[in-house]
Amino acid sequence: NYQFRISIDTGTGFQQIDSKSCMVVNTQPRYIYSGAWVCDSIAPGPAQWSQMAVNTRTNFEQGSKVSLLVEYKNIYVNHRHKVDIYYNGAYSWTWGNDQWLNVGQWGWGYSYVTPYITNCQAGEYEFRVFIDTGAGYYQMDSKTFTVTPSGPGYTYSGAWICDSATDGSAQWSKVPANVRTRFVQGGNICCLAVFNNVFVNHRIKVDIYKDGAYSWTWGNGSWNVVSGTWAYSNAIVMNQNVGAGQYEFRIFIDIGNGYQQVDSKNCSVDTSGPPYTYKGSWTCDSVADSTDSYSKVAVNAKTNFVAGQTMYCLSVFKNVYVNHRIKVDVYKDGFYSWTWGNGDWNVVSGTWAYSNAIVTNSQVSAGQYQFRIYIDTGSGYQQIDTKNIAVSSN
């Protein structure tokens, strides 16, 4: 602000006779907006405190990191920045904490805004750039870019037909319990499908077919909205109280371009009955390998032995398609003597052609012996046979 004071002197000293005031304003802008650039990353610029955009572009691949560089130069006013991010036309989030930047009496050569988005999903994005110098936020610019799908956006780990799905060692992971392809009428079938490293919105469905005809669909069509990356996305289909027949599970995923089939798993359900065939038990002098892989045969089967001999009891189960355990209780002269079998489970993957119990009784003494054969398929031991033996004295 300037003031002119006018005085005159006629011999008696200066006397002020008038005063005029005026103002000189700064015609330079309070800042210069240089522009905004969508890019891969931001690096130091050639001038002190400056920055520059690396590889400016408007098209990116799914999963990319996208940066925005906004530059103001010669800024002489306290200010604050924000950037509103929109995804597919809808507001998503805001970069900026509303903190004021105090530039001091000399101003700043540069002021930058450097927001970024990691692991971008496919779609259309917009950065809306604002500055506030004291009168409220004013939109300076808007920058848009497109993210296109790159690859499927997930890793398909596989699908399994099993009894159930249990928690895995990693968070959110699932693992199949007792993988197999044969079941018994009236039981339950579980189909577990696992997708890893999913970074796209998606939905999964499983179509179930019985005897070649469509039966029903697992999955309600709702979208899984993914923020960042999901380590696991699982489909756990339970088919309860199943009837006998042939079943097929067709697994699909939709990442925005319609359902795509990624796998198919088949299994069979037998009519009610044990999930194995009991071939028989024999007492004999020894046990030998058969021509069939894993099968055993009794050598010189008999029911009368002499004291001091070694006595064998062979029990054979065929086509076993469940986890199971076998035990044989041995009695002598009507009293319990000992048990063959340590209680460990035989874990069956698919179907076992044979499962054998081979009981050895060495240096037997004279008396009446009985072998009671049991099998447990999950509901407790069930006795399925008894063999009686006589051992005479020398």
Side-chain angles (χ1 to χ4, degrees):
N1 291 300
Y2 290 82
Q3 188 180 59
F4 297 87
R5 297 176 183 175
I6 301 97
S7 303
I8 190 169
D9 182 4
T10 58
T12 57
F14 280 105
Q15 304 294 318
Q16 182 177 341
I17 59 172
D18 205 350
S19 175
K20 297 294 179 181
S21 298
C22 67
M23 177 185 294
V24 177
V25 297
N26 184 3
T27 59
Q28 296 297 318
R30 292 177 295 172
Y31 59 84
I32 298 172
Y33 175 63
S34 302
W37 302 270
V38 179
C39 54
D40 286 343
S41 60
I42 297 168
Q48 188 179 24
W49 309 116
S50 70
Q51 299 185 53
M52 62 181 186
V54 176
N55 192 23
T56 59
R57 54 187 175 129
T58 57
N59 287 283
F60 295 82
E61 298 76 34
Q62 191 165 274
S64 297
K65 175 184 176 181
V66 178
S67 297
L68 177 71
L69 174 65
V70 181
E71 182 182 84
Y72 298 85
K73 296 175 66 176
N74 303 329
I75 188 162
Y76 299 99
V77 61
N78 295 341
H79 61 285
R80 56 182 179 174
H81 303 288
K82 77 168 183 173
V83 178
D84 288 344
I85 292 94
Y86 285 73
Y87 175 59
N88 288 334
Y91 170 79
S92 181
W93 60 286
T94 294
W95 180 95
N97 59 9
D98 287 333
Q99 181 178 355
W100 284 92
L101 302 171
N102 297 314
V103 302
Q105 63 176 328
W106 304 112
W108 287 2
Y110 298 93
S111 184
Y112 288 101
V113 187
T114 57
Y116 59 88
I117 306 173
T118 59
N119 194 23
C120 287
Q121 308 293 304
E124 301 294 328
Y125 288 80
E126 181 186 6
F127 290 110
R128 297 184 184 177
V129 180
F130 295 82
I131 190 170
D132 181 5
T133 59
Y137 280 112
Y138 172 76
Q139 184 173 343
M140 287 294 303
D141 210 341
S142 173
K143 294 295 178 179
T144 61
F145 65 94
T146 301
V147 177
T148 56
S150 175
Y154 61 85
T155 300
Y156 175 61
S157 299
W160 301 267
I161 304 295
C162 52
D163 286 345
S164 61
T166 60
D167 291 336
S169 57
Q171 188 177 27
W172 310 117
S173 67
K174 296 292 182 181
V175 294
N178 191 25
V179 175
R180 55 191 175 117
T181 56
R182 291 186 63 187
F183 296 82
V184 177
Q185 180 175 286
N188 299 331
I189 302 173
C190 176
C191 177
L192 168 66
V194 176
F195 298 83
N196 289 118
N197 303 322
V198 187
F199 57 87
V200 291
N201 296 342
H202 65 285
R203 53 185 181 175
I204 303 169
K205 76 168 183 173
V206 180
D207 289 344
I208 295 91
Y209 288 73
K210 180 177 183 289
D211 296 328
Y214 171 79
S215 178
W216 64 287
T217 293
W218 177 94
N220 60 8
S222 297
W223 285 90
N224 296 307
V225 179
V226 177
S227 176
T229 298
W230 285 12
Y232 297 93
S233 186
N234 307 300
I236 303 173
V237 184
M238 289 299 299
N239 216 13
Q240 299 178 325
N241 193 26
V242 292
Q246 301 297 315
Y247 288 78
E248 181 185 7
F249 295 81
R250 299 180 185 176
I251 298 106
F252 298 81
I253 189 170
D254 180 6
I255 59 172
N257 55 351
Y259 282 109
Q260 305 295 319
Q261 184 173 345
V262 296
D263 208 346
S264 174
K265 293 296 176 180
N266 297 282
C267 66
S268 61
V269 176
D270 298 334
T271 55
S272 295
Y276 59 83
T277 300
Y278 176 59
K279 187 174 180 181
S281 294
W282 303 267
T283 52
C284 52
D285 286 337
S286 63
V287 175
D289 291 335
S290 177
T291 55
D292 291 340
S293 182
Y294 300 108
S295 67
K296 300 291 183 180
V297 293
V299 176
N300 192 22
K302 59 183 181 178
T303 57
N304 290 284
F305 293 80
V306 176
Q309 290 183 326
T310 297
M311 178 172 55
Y312 290 85
C313 179
L314 168 66
S315 299
V316 177
F317 298 82
K318 294 184 63 177
N319 302 325
V320 187
Y321 53 90
V322 291
N323 295 344
H324 64 284
R325 54 185 179 173
I326 303 168
K327 76 169 185 173
V328 179
D329 289 344
V330 182
Y331 286 74
K332 183 186 177 199
D333 296 329
F335 294 96
Y336 170 78
S337 178
W338 65 287
T339 293
W340 177 93
N342 60 8
D344 289 343
W345 286 91
N346 296 306
V347 178
V348 177
S349 178
T351 299
W352 283 12
Y354 295 93
S355 186
N356 307 298
I358 303 173
V359 183
T360 305
N361 244 10
S362 302
Q363 297 293 318
V364 293
S365 57
Q368 299 297 316
Y369 288 79
Q370 186 179 70
F371 296 87
R372 299 179 183 175
I373 298 98
Y374 298 82
I375 189 170
D376 180 6
T377 59
S379 56
Y381 282 110
Q382 306 294 320
Q383 184 175 346
I384 58 170
D385 207 349
T386 300
K387 294 296 175 181
N388 296 295
I389 311 299
V391 178
S392 60
S393 58
N394 293 332

